[in-house]
Amino acid sequence: MTSPADPATASPQLTPAVRGALTRYRVIAYIVGVMLLLLLFVAMPLKYLADNPAAMNVIGPLHGFLFVVYLLATFDLFRRVRWTLPRLVLMAVAGTIPFLSFYAERKTTHELQGR
């Protein structure tokens, strides 16, 4: 059994730099998650079922830009916490699957805050 002071099981220190990166990641994860849901459940049905591409023309590029910001925030947090590369890939992929960015954000936050 490992002790709480064991570096393998202890959560990383929440320095101001890590706390700031976590806050940026949390905000953009929610924004990207909401934008993905809007894209999939509003814009795409309007485009393909109602033949009205107006929402897709706005939400599509906006989501694309925000996803790049999400990737940058994810990389920033990854770099500061020094996680493994597979963890970075999983966090990046979480922004492409509906509802998964919300789960990944919550799990990451709980892990870093030691809950």
Side-chain angles (χ1 to χ4, degrees), residues 20-29 32 66-80 83 88 91:
L22 178 61
T23 300
R24 288 187 295 275
Y25 168 75
R26 292 183 72 188
V27 168
I28 196 64
V32 165
L66 290 171
F67 182 70
V68 171
V69 174
Y70 171 80
L71 291 177
L72 292 172
T74 301
F75 181 76
D76 182 41
L77 183 61
F78 155 80
R79 183 179 59 85
R80 292 178 192 275
W83 278 323
L88 172 65
M91 288 175 66

Side-chain angles (χ1 to χ4, degrees), residues 12-81:
Q13 287 291 336
L14 276 182
T15 64
V18 171
R19 195 174 301 118
L22 178 61
T23 300
R24 288 187 295 275
Y25 168 75
R26 292 183 72 188
V27 168
I28 196 64
Y30 273 108
I31 292 171
V32 165
V34 169
M35 290 301 294
L36 181 59
L37 294 176
L38 286 173
L39 183 69
L40 292 176
F41 297 115
V42 175
M44 289 182 77
L46 281 173
K47 180 178 181 178
Y48 293 111
L49 299 176
D51 199 29
N52 184 357
M56 187 72 157
N57 292 340
V58 173
I59 295 175
L62 184 58
H63 171 70
F65 172 76
L66 290 171
F67 182 70
V68 171
V69 174
Y70 171 80
L71 291 177
L72 292 172
T74 301
F75 181 76
D76 182 41
L77 183 61
F78 155 80
R79 183 179 59 85
R80 292 178 192 275
V81 177

